[in-house]
Amino acid sequence: MIVWIAAALAAPREELRVPTPDGAEIGFTHLANPGHPAVILCHGVSSNHRFWDLAPDRSLAEALWTAGYDVWNLDLRGHGIVERDAAGKRPSVKTNLDTYGTVDVPAAIAHVRAATGQDEVAWVGHSMGGMVLAIHLARAGDAGLSTAVIVASPLDFRDPDPVLAVVGLAPLGPARYPTPLGGRVLAAFDRRAPLSADELLYNPDLVAPDARRAMLHAVVSPMTRGEARQLARAIDGDLVGADGLVYREALAKVDLPAYFLAGRADRIAPPDRVWAYYAAMGSPDRRFEVASRADGWTGDYGHLDFGCADAAKDEVFPRILAWLDAHGGAGAGR
Amino acid sequence: MVVHAIADGPDAAMVVVTPGWPVASFLPLARALAADGHGVWLVELPCAGQGPDDLAAEIAAARAQIAGPVTVVAHGLGAPLALMAHLDADRYALLAPVLGARPLAALDALPRGVAVDLSTPVPFAGTTAQAALFGDVTLGCTPGPLLDAARAWGAAGAVPVDLAGVDAPVWIGVSLGDAFANVESVVPASRALPDRTLVRMGLDAFDPRDYDHAALLVDRRPIRRLVRALRRP
């Protein structure tokens, strides 16, 4: 089925493995539009590039390519096409958000700038894909970036709810969390999962059953204990680097135009936690929206709905495209 | 303004009925407070074109009728009105309080006027504006200037209440499912309160569901949490 989906997609896709300065690898699935503005798409924790490229009618990658963008759909080390390196090894279990933000993100930006010859590229990050950008921005600034779209990325963990408090126990778990197995278990339920476990991840009213199963099979990659530890330390506080840098507090000097999307039914990244990221940025050119019925959307979006919901292609992708177009993108002046 | 004496007893609780909301929607909460030993008074506000300051003055007048320490209980727009009244309150218990605001398309879709009848459904985005904002509740007459103020607060991104100056403990119950007193507005704003307890309710608290704006008022679980929070040690 995955082969069928891949064959049906319109844009040609090239897979690339790119070495990082510390000897690991990141991956790109490149939908090429040579000479056109480049955009990097980045997945979230325990996910991979398929989040932004699940199926022909659920693919931000495809939508942006069709609109004229040169799309670089990123896999951070240990995810997707680089779940194992060329020698078959997995990254260290100590790999955490700081690793991604200080090594993989700058490596990705540098590679795309060099490959395209463009001074600046755009970044679209979902969940952890936006959090690692915050780490990069806080430490290295916004050079080389034209704009960012931050989708369901939390950056404030104060006032935790009980489910978030459970995350604090995560470091007690295995070195690598078998989250792909968890995804397949959830996919096995034809109707809503026990204890509403699926509703923690998405709004079942917004995702057709076959797409739901495909999503839970395809978009999940393992999670490391390092990631769990860094997230657990953030509970009832902030995301902090190993040197104590509070990332939310370090963004006031960042002047990057940014568009923030949050979901009314997002239990992983509730809107107030995404709002904190928006409020922290120093950019005067920024926008915050909540995907909610009360805001005129077709439903209340959950965490994974932004890439995979039935209406994402009509509600999410056009908004992202409009922001990119308005900030030096392929449709500038459209 | 009408003050309904629901129950007699020590440890008085003054419950502000949100303008536009049926008094009956506050009865489960009132009864639960009474069953837990509180004296309970329900304050029903008028609907004749009053703005926030007028309504706050009405709430202050109601408070003056109740002797002794009072816990002020409010929901939704009733919460900022109660805080604007600068009451002599022992403490506050606020369900789904509008402490912060941002623009909401469904709120803009509601009718305007001096006294707005919200019982007629307003079509909005495949549902009704009332359902999108508040959930399953049939509202009534709401002072138009109050709705206008709510819209203005949303446009300004803030509710004009001096939260830092509230010198009583404040307990707040919120839920992700509340589109009107939404978490992205309420939670950050509430951090200005010097003495505040914030409780998130819904699936993230292992409840069977998230609570919309109306459900936070009428569902037994949020009510039970509020009542328990008010128990003296």
Side-chain angles (χ1 to χ4, degrees):
Chain A
M1 176 167 168
I2 294 175
V3 171
W4 174 85
I5 291 172
L9 296 172
R13 286 156 171 76
E14 178 191 13
E15 290 186 353
L16 305 164
R17 305 176 79 100
V18 174
T20 60
D22 62 347
E25 287 182 329
I26 57 176
F28 284 109
T29 303
H30 182 209
L31 290 73
N33 259 321
H36 288 248
V39 57
I40 298 172
L41 310 182
C42 187
H43 58 82
V45 71
S46 201
S47 187
N48 58 60
H49 73 279
R50 293 297 309 282
F51 174 80
W52 287 125
D53 194 17
L54 177 65
D57 58 344
R58 295 166 208 270
S59 174
L60 177 66
E62 184 85 19
L64 293 179
W65 178 84
T66 302
Y69 284 86
D70 187 38
V71 181
W72 298 77
N73 198 355
L74 173 66
D75 277 309
L76 299 168
R77 67 179 69 193
H79 299 78
I81 66 172
V82 287
E83 187 171 320
R84 295 176 186 271
D85 65 16
K89 280 181 53 182
R90 286 175 159 171
S92 163
V93 296
K94 295 180 181 177
T95 300
N96 62 12
L97 279 70
D98 278 343
T99 315
Y100 304 137
T102 59
V103 184
D104 292 8
V105 171
I109 294 170
H111 177 82
V112 173
R113 290 176 68 198
T116 62
Q118 295 175 26
D119 287 336
E120 294 183 334
V121 300
W123 182 280
V124 180
H126 174 254
S127 192
M128 189 187 73
M131 296 166 73
V132 296
L133 181 69
I135 294 171
H136 171 72
L137 292 173
R139 294 190 180 277
D142 58 15
L145 290 166
S146 57
T147 187
V149 178
I150 308 298
V151 183
S153 300
L155 206 63
D156 178 350
F157 300 91
R158 293 171 289 175
D159 300 308
D161 47 64
V163 164
L164 188 60
V166 168
V167 172
L169 301 175
L172 300 176
R176 269 179 241 282
Y177 281 79
T179 39
L181 176 61
R184 289 194 289 275
V185 168
L186 270 183
F189 288 94
D190 282 336
R191 292 185 291 178
R192 297 190 183 194
L195 302 178
S196 301
D198 51 347
E199 290 188 56
L200 290 175
L201 298 174
Y202 59 89
N203 184 342
D205 293 336
L206 300 186
V207 187
D210 57 343
R212 172 185 160 274
R213 282 188 289 273
M215 174 179 73
L216 290 170
H217 276 278
V219 307
V220 191
S221 287
M223 180 176 166
T224 68
R225 183 184 288 154
E227 292 169 296
R229 280 190 170 146
Q230 188 169 15
L231 290 170
R233 282 199 303 270
I235 304 254
D236 205 10
D238 274 284
L239 185 67
V240 178
D243 58 357
L245 179 66
V246 180
Y247 291 120
R248 183 173 54 88
E249 295 174 356
L251 296 179
K253 63 183 188 302
V254 175
D255 191 27
L256 182 70
Y259 174 40
F260 293 82
L261 274 170
R264 172 63 59 222
D266 189 345
R267 293 161 188 94
I268 305 294
D272 61 295
R273 305 200 187 284
V274 181
W275 186 91
Y277 192 163
Y278 160 84
M281 290 277 276
S283 336
D285 185 3
R286 57 197 167 127
R287 183 174 176 182
F288 177 84
E289 266 193 83
V290 178
S292 158
R293 275 197 322 171
D295 291 276
W297 295 58
T298 56
D300 294 337
Y301 274 56
H303 196 60
L304 298 181
D305 295 335
F306 290 98
C308 305
D310 301 347
K313 68 181 185 303
D314 300 316
E315 291 190 308
V316 179
F317 303 167
R319 282 176 164 86
I320 294 175
L321 177 61
W323 180 269
L324 294 176
D325 283 350
H327 292 83
R334 203 196 304 266
Chain B
M1 178 264 293
V2 177
V3 179
H4 304 274
I6 301 297
D8 203 5
D11 213 0
M14 184 178 85
V15 181
V16 178
V17 177
T18 311
W21 288 65
V23 174
S25 63
F26 282 78
L27 288 180
L29 172 61
R31 290 182 187 129
L33 288 166
D36 214 51
H38 294 271
V40 181
W41 283 260
L42 276 181
V43 178
E44 189 179 1
L45 297 169
C47 182
Q50 294 86 351
D53 291 340
D54 301 319
L55 294 166
E58 298 276 357
I59 295 172
R63 169 66 182 99
Q65 297 182 27
I66 304 169
V70 159
T71 296
V72 176
V73 181
H75 167 267
L77 283 174
L81 296 178
L83 293 169
M84 286 174 181
H86 300 290
L87 303 171
D88 174 20
D90 188 42
R91 52 190 176 161
Y92 292 88
L94 308 176
L95 281 168
V98 178
L99 301 182
R102 61 175 193 84
L104 288 170
L107 185 59
D108 290 339
L110 292 178
R112 297 164 193 262
V114 173
V116 178
D117 180 5
L118 292 181
S119 64
T120 301
V122 176
F124 177 82
T127 179
T128 68
Q130 290 92 332
L133 288 167
F134 309 123
D136 184 17
V137 61
T138 300
L139 302 177
C141 176
T142 304
L146 178 61
L147 285 178
D148 292 339
R151 293 186 187 99
W153 299 343
V159 176
V161 175
D162 177 21
L163 295 177
V166 176
D167 60 3
V170 182
W171 179 95
I172 297 169
V174 298
S175 184
L176 179 64
D178 186 347
F180 186 54
N182 46 69
V183 290
E184 63 270 22
S185 299
V186 176
V187 175
S190 73
R191 294 197 175 110
L193 291 162
D195 185 352
R196 146 249 205 220
T197 301
L198 182 92
V199 176
R200 297 182 191 254
M201 293 183 267
L203 288 173
D204 281 354
F206 301 113
D207 289 333
R209 66 181 181 116
D210 285 335
Y211 302 104
D212 58 37
H213 195 62
L216 274 170
L217 174 64
V218 303
D219 191 284
R220 60 187 178 90
R221 288 180 183 84
I223 290 173
R224 191 165 58 206
R225 285 199 178 94
L226 182 151
V227 170
R228 281 181 181 164
L230 294 182
R231 284 180 184 158
R232 305 285 183 180

